[in-house]
Amino acid sequence: MRFATYEHQHRTRVAVIKQDGTLHPLPGTTSLTELVRSGGGLPALLDAGVAALDAPAGPHVSEVRLQPPLQPSSVRDFVTFEEHVEGVRRSVDGVSGVPEQWYAAPTFYFTNPHAVYGDGDAIPMPPGSAVLDYELEVAAVIGREGHDLTPEQARDHIVGYTVFNDWSARDLQSAEMRVGLGPCKGKDTATTLGPYLVTADELDPYRDADGFLRLALTAEINGHVVGKDLLSNMSWTFEEMVSYASRGTRVVPGDILGSGTCGNGGCLAELWGLRGEQTPPPLKPGDTVTLTVEGIGTLTNTITRGATPVSLPSGRRRSRERP
């Protein structure tokens, strides 16, 4: 099933969306976030969907404003595509190759769960940035709490998937990462999720013999294709990522785990690193980015001008006086 959160006639509703675009609102439910956080996992979500399909149909998706499917509890963004690592390291860090440590574990960082946008939303330029980039990813949504999970156990904790655009201010990111703590304001302004949450069972037919989801990925800027890849080119499965994320801690319903950016044009920075120049150029106000994932849907967002950064002083060099 595909679930949508939408606004129609000044009301927010949750619905199952049929193939023809008809929305069937869930009776008595106005928040997919709360439904997922109830902890019932995939069975509870499917039961709610069946009840919706038995209820009267609502508007067509073309008549509503889509919102992010849910507001995540947390967002872990992984980096599981070797090709992406190679290209972006050259572009952002000025070094070539893939670090050997990358192969040891599916590395991730936490990004901002409070700056989530939906399909069709305008995306502001990050304050102080002139080098904005998109990142084409798929995210798994956690539907049951767990800790120290095996990959086999982790499959039952994934309730569904959605398209994930990890907007990245490359100029800010490059400067910040010299400190050694990872991206900060370079990733803080916006993340787009949507257009729908597709339940995990819907994507099982795409699963290959090794457990990877063989989904076609396409990125476009202003109607021109700039990237194509397969999700199955990930170096770890989503179940392995969930297992690693739960090691020594918990994953909880509503957590989002991003696949990391795909290769072959999954972002501009990878192409810049391979080509040695910023071609295509960084995103600017007025540009429209469209990301499509087979079996899940299409996200489209247009860039707008952002806020002017508030000026702050440089860090003071202190005397290190002691009491």
Side-chain angles (χ1 to χ4, degrees):
M1 291 182 182
R2 295 185 299 166
F3 288 81
T5 298
Y6 65 94
E7 182 182 328
H8 182 61
Q9 297 179 342
H10 308 293
R11 296 179 63 194
T12 298
R13 299 293 302 271
V14 178
V16 173
I17 178 169
K18 298 181 72 174
Q19 286 298 117
D20 64 1
T22 303
L23 294 163
H24 284 256
L26 273 62
T29 301
T30 59
S31 171
L32 188 58
T33 302
E34 293 306 314
L35 180 58
V36 170
R37 286 180 181 168
S38 69
L42 183 57
L45 196 56
L46 293 177
D47 286 346
V50 169
L53 292 174
D54 288 338
H60 190 270
V61 69
S62 63
E63 301 172 319
V64 307
R65 176 179 174 268
L66 289 175
Q67 297 182 350
L70 76 164
Q71 296 296 323
S73 304
S74 70
V75 184
R76 293 174 176 88
D77 196 10
F78 287 73
V79 53
T80 68
F81 288 84
E82 199 175 19
E83 189 174 12
H84 169 75
V85 175
E86 187 172 8
V88 170
R89 281 191 89 213
R90 187 177 292 128
S91 175
V92 175
D93 300 328
V95 294
S96 61
V98 178
E100 195 60 33
Q101 183 60 32
W102 179 82
Y103 298 95
T107 308
F108 66 89
Y109 74 98
F110 282 97
T111 192
N112 189 353
H114 309 300
V116 175
Y117 290 79
D119 178 50
D121 286 344
I123 303 299
M125 287 287 295
S129 174
V131 188
L132 182 61
D133 197 358
Y134 68 89
E135 292 199 358
L136 171 51
E137 309 187 26
V138 172
V141 180
I142 298 298
R144 289 177 51 207
E145 182 174 335
H147 63 88
D148 295 297
L149 301 170
T150 66
E152 293 73 24
Q153 293 169 331
R155 180 168 294 188
D156 290 335
H157 291 257
I158 298 174
V159 73
Y161 299 87
T162 190
V163 187
F164 181 116
N165 189 343
D166 176 34
W167 301 95
S168 302
R170 297 301 186 190
D171 44 357
L172 303 184
Q173 178 187 1
S174 180
E176 291 166 344
M177 292 188 71
R178 295 191 184 105
V179 179
L181 287 179
C184 177
K185 284 296 175 186
K187 301 277 192 173
D188 208 29
T189 295
T191 295
T192 305
L193 297 175
Y196 315 116
L197 186 154
V198 177
T199 55
D201 60 302
E202 285 283 315
L203 298 183
D204 279 341
Y206 297 93
R207 198 175 293 277
D208 67 18
D210 296 317
F212 291 91
L213 296 172
R214 187 179 173 84
L215 305 178
L217 313 172
T218 306
E220 300 173 65
I221 300 175
N222 300 327
H224 299 285
V225 174
V226 292
K228 279 182 172 290
D229 201 6
L230 288 170
L231 188 63
S232 50
N233 285 329
M234 295 165 62
S235 290
W236 290 271
T237 66
F238 280 103
E239 290 80 8
E240 290 163 345
M241 292 157 54
V242 173
S243 174
Y244 187 66
S246 73
R247 184 183 295 179
T249 186
R250 299 181 301 152
V251 291
V252 302
D255 281 354
I256 295 286
L257 283 75
S259 63
T261 309
C262 66
N264 194 39
C267 69
L268 294 175
E270 177 210 329
L271 299 177
W272 299 339
L274 295 173
R275 296 171 180 175
E277 60 182 16
Q278 289 190 342
T279 304
L283 299 171
K284 62 184 184 303
D287 285 340
T288 297
V289 176
T290 302
L291 307 181
T292 300
V293 178
E294 181 181 11
I296 300 180
T298 297
L299 281 181
T300 299
N301 298 98
T302 299
I303 311 303
T304 59
R305 297 191 182 278
T308 300
V310 175
S311 180
L312 293 174
S314 299
R316 284 81 163 174
R317 297 185 184 274
R318 309 304 292 175
S319 67
R320 305 188 187 184
E321 181 182 2
R322 303 288 186 260

